[in-house]
């Protein structure tokens, strides 16, 4: 009996020793699916998948960086949370995983607030973009003409407290400055070919560490029909960059749609039509409105916008470098015209540049002094466009002007044109307080 017990004891010791030896000699596997984590100043927690074949523990070397759980066995999920960074410096921490004699490090970096990356758009959706942090508008990015219209530059206006515009904006192209109201431009010496610009605590930088991507959203005008329009900034003013195509006034009362040009000649109420009465022209050239749609006081322009006066048209063109003489504006048409094959006739000495962003297309107009039989006819599509302008200071309220833009340098500026004709409409934003 004693011999049997001694033999059993030997077996237990033998197998116990073998088991301990295997456990001690276990090759520990320890790792995670991420080695680095980046947090913004107020980011949500992030998770890491841990791979291990034994017990492990996790600990951060900084109090602001929290980990949970503090350990586990085998595969598991580790949650890492960074408390909001109220400071002005980027901070770093290391989360250390430990399994027996092995360690694995996860580096954690957290940015500070107010550091944004602004990706430069191609300006295909609008020439003005809102820069936002969530729902808060923090800046405005414009592709706009410099005073005199020699070139177009990309400008970032960093908004001040209360959303107020600054005196000057940063010119992304060269690091210069342009006055918000268009009264001055100082080109910089840099040659920036960059895809992004950065805001660091309200200051524009060409690079920044731990920047948060800001929302870059096109600024669009919407009418009562839910049509949307690109807009452009010229000096301190905003203009539609497309022709109006709304079928109702601001109060949603319909504008009369008239297709019979003979009827339109004697019509005394506001009316509109499409060029050649083809609705396919709507989205390209917009609508053609008779003068009564402009003078009847019903507000054809969307809320916050108005049909510009002849003086406002001339002021805009003067900003772009135009010289004015009786009835005409010189040397600026190319800066207003869209670069488009829709212009079937062009002046080789003055090719379209669209520096202004107005993107004028040759949408033509409905004439009152040219007929085919009893019908008024449409004219100038492909070679020019005509736009209504409200009276100048001192004119009668019903005295309308016409702005005609064609393939050549001059722009016609005609007084009290027959209001039975039908022209395109551009709107200008009301003066901002």
């Amino acid at each position: 009996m004693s011999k049997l017990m001694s033999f059993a004891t030997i077996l237990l010791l033998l197998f116990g020793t073998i088991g301990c030896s295997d456990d001690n000699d276990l090759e520990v596997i320890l790792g995670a699916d991420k080695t680095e984590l980046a947090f913004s100043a107020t980011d949500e927690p992030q998770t890491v998948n841990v791979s291990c074949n034994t017990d492990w523990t996790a600990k951060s070397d900084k109090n602001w960086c929290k980990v949970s759980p503090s350990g586990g066995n085998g595969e598991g999920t580790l949650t890492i949370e960074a408390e909001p960074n109220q400071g002005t410096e980027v901070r770093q921490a290391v989360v250390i995983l430990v399994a027996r004699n092995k360690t694995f490090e996860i580096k954690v970096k957290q940015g500070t607030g107010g550091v944004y990356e602004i990706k430069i758009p191609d300006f295909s959706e609008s020439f003005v973009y809102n820069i936002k942090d969530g729902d808060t508008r923090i800046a405005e990015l414009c592709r706009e003409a410099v005073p005199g219209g020699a070139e177009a530059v990309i400008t970032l206006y960093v908004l001040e407290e209360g959303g107020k515009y600054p005196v000057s904006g940063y010119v992304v192209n060269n690091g210069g400055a342009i006055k918000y109201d268009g009264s001055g431009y100082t080109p910089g010496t840099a040659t920036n070919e960059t895809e992004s610009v950065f805001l660091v605590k309200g200051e524009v930088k060409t690079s920044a560490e731990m920047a948060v991507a800001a929302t870059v959203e096109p600024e669009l005008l919407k009418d009562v029909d839910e049509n949307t329009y690109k807009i452009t900034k010229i000096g301190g003013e905003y203009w539609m960059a497309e022709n109006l195509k709304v079928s109702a006034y601001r109060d949603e009362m319909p504008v009369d749609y008239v297709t019979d040009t003979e009827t339109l000649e004697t019509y005394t109420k506001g009316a509109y039509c499409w060029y050649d009465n083809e609705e396919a022209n709507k989205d390209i050239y917009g609508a053609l409105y008779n003068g009564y749609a402009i003078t009847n006081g019903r507000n054809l322009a969307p809320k916050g916008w108005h049909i510009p006066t002849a003086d406002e048209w001339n002021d805009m063109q003067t900003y772009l470098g135009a010289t004015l003489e009786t009835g005409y504006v010189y040397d600026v048409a190319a800066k207003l015209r869209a670069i488009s094959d829709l212009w079937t006739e062009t002046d080789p000495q003055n090719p379209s540049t669209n520096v202004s962003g107005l993107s004028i297309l040759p949408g033509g107009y409905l004439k009152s002094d040219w007929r085919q039989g009893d019908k008024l006819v449409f004219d100038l599509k492909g070679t020019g466009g005509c736009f209504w302008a409200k009276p100048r200071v001192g004119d009668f309220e019903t005295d309308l002007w016409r702005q005609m833009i064609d393939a050549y340098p001059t722009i016609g500026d005609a007084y009290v044109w027959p209001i039975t004709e039908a022209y395109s409409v551009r709107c200008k934003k009301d003066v901002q307080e």
Side-chain angles (χ1 to χ4, degrees):
M1 184 69 177
S2 175
K3 290 181 178 180
L4 286 173
M5 287 183 66
S6 297
F7 182 69
T9 301
I10 291 169
L11 287 176
L12 287 171
L13 289 172
L14 177 63
F15 283 111
T17 302
I18 292 173
C20 290
S21 176
D22 287 347
D23 195 41
N24 288 331
D25 293 340
L26 176 70
E27 183 178 352
V28 176
I29 297 171
L30 177 64
D33 62 347
K34 297 170 187 172
T35 58
E36 295 182 353
L37 293 178
F39 288 84
S40 71
T42 57
D43 257 351
E44 296 294 321
Q46 299 184 45
T47 58
V48 174
N49 294 316
V50 177
S51 299
C52 191
N53 61 348
T54 187
D55 294 339
W56 53 269
T57 60
K59 185 177 180 180
S60 169
D61 68 344
K62 297 290 190 303
N63 290 334
W64 57 265
C65 181
K66 310 293 184 183
V67 297
S68 64
S70 59
N73 180 273
E75 294 185 353
T77 300
L78 183 68
T79 299
I80 300 176
E81 180 179 2
E83 294 179 349
N85 186 358
Q86 306 291 349
T88 59
E89 301 293 333
V90 174
R91 56 189 185 183
Q92 300 182 57
V94 177
V95 172
I96 303 172
L97 302 176
V98 179
R100 298 197 181 179
N101 62 342
K102 277 203 172 184
T103 61
F104 186 90
E105 293 187 351
I106 302 170
K107 295 179 180 179
V108 179
K109 185 180 283 190
Q110 185 183 33
T112 183
V115 182
Y116 306 95
E117 179 184 10
I118 300 169
K119 292 189 178 295
I120 308 301
D122 62 6
F123 295 95
S124 60
E125 296 180 80
S126 185
F127 294 103
V128 178
Y129 280 71
N130 290 318
I131 311 304
K132 294 182 174 181
D133 176 9
D135 293 330
T136 303
R137 188 165 171 263
I138 59 174
E140 181 175 282
L141 190 68
C142 303
R143 182 270 198 189
E144 62 178 325
V146 301
E151 62 176 322
V153 295
I154 298 170
T155 311
L156 181 68
Y157 295 100
V158 182
L159 301 183
E160 298 174 354
E161 189 174 349
K164 183 180 178 182
Y165 283 95
V167 172
S168 296
Y170 172 83
V171 178
V172 175
N173 311 70
N174 55 40
I178 188 169
K179 294 287 185 68
Y180 176 78
D181 63 5
S183 62
Y185 167 55
T186 305
T189 58
T191 55
N192 294 337
E193 294 183 6
T194 180
E195 296 180 354
S196 297
V197 67
F198 298 84
L199 267 184
V200 180
K201 305 296 184 181
E203 293 186 20
V204 183
K205 305 286 185 181
T206 55
S207 64
E209 187 180 13
M210 299 294 290
V212 176
T215 300
V216 181
E217 183 180 273
E219 172 77 2
L220 300 170
L221 171 63
K222 184 181 289 187
D223 65 29
V224 295
D225 287 343
E226 300 295 316
N227 299 309
T228 57
Y229 306 89
K230 302 175 185 178
I231 66 172
T232 186
K233 179 178 180 287
I234 305 175
E237 311 291 347
Y238 296 86
W239 290 70
M240 288 172 59
E242 299 176 86
N243 291 349
L244 192 69
K245 53 191 173 187
V246 72
S247 64
Y249 298 103
R250 188 183 298 178
D251 62 4
E252 301 186 15
M253 179 69 69
V255 183
D256 293 348
Y257 176 51
V258 179
T259 59
D260 185 343
T261 60
E262 184 178 6
T263 300
L264 197 57
E265 182 182 18
T266 58
Y267 214 68
T268 57
K269 294 190 294 183
Y272 77 99
C273 60
W274 313 119
Y275 192 97
D276 279 341
N277 292 317
E278 294 181 4
E279 192 169 354
N281 286 315
K282 170 185 177 180
D283 288 330
I284 303 172
Y285 300 110
L288 298 174
Y289 300 90
N290 71 358
Y292 293 103
I294 312 302
T295 61
N296 63 12
R298 297 200 70 97
N299 275 326
L300 190 63
K303 185 177 180 181
W305 292 69
H306 65 274
I307 297 171
T309 66
D311 285 333
E312 288 177 307
W313 272 94
N314 281 349
D315 289 345
M316 175 266 289
Q317 293 162 49
T318 301
Y319 173 83
L320 295 170
T323 54
L324 275 65
E325 292 184 15
T326 304
Y328 288 93
V329 181
Y330 290 89
D331 308 323
V332 75
K335 299 173 184 178
L336 308 181
R337 295 192 305 257
I339 302 171
S340 170
D341 291 340
L342 293 172
W343 284 97
T344 58
E345 181 180 342
T346 57
D347 178 3
Q349 302 301 316
N350 293 277
S352 301
T353 65
N354 198 30
V355 165
S356 65
L358 275 176
S359 311
I360 299 292
L361 291 173
Y365 74 113
L366 179 66
K367 302 183 67 163
S368 66
D369 58 353
W370 184 17
R371 297 170 175 275
Q372 288 181 349
D374 294 330
K375 302 288 186 181
L376 301 180
V377 298
F378 296 91
D379 191 29
L380 286 189
K381 181 182 174 186
T383 62
C386 294
F387 298 84
W388 286 117
K390 284 200 164 184
R392 299 180 188 278
V393 175
D395 290 344
F396 290 108
E397 292 183 3
T398 55
D399 289 348
L400 296 181
W401 291 69
R402 180 186 74 173
Q403 299 284 319
M404 185 170 75
I405 300 165
D406 60 21
Y408 296 92
T410 59
I411 298 178
D413 185 9
Y415 176 57
V416 196
W417 212 257
I419 64 175
T420 53
E421 293 195 332
Y423 303 151
S424 301
V425 168
R426 287 296 178 95
C427 298
K428 179 174 173 285
K429 195 171 187 179
D430 295 345
V431 173
Q432 301 183 86
E433 298 298 334

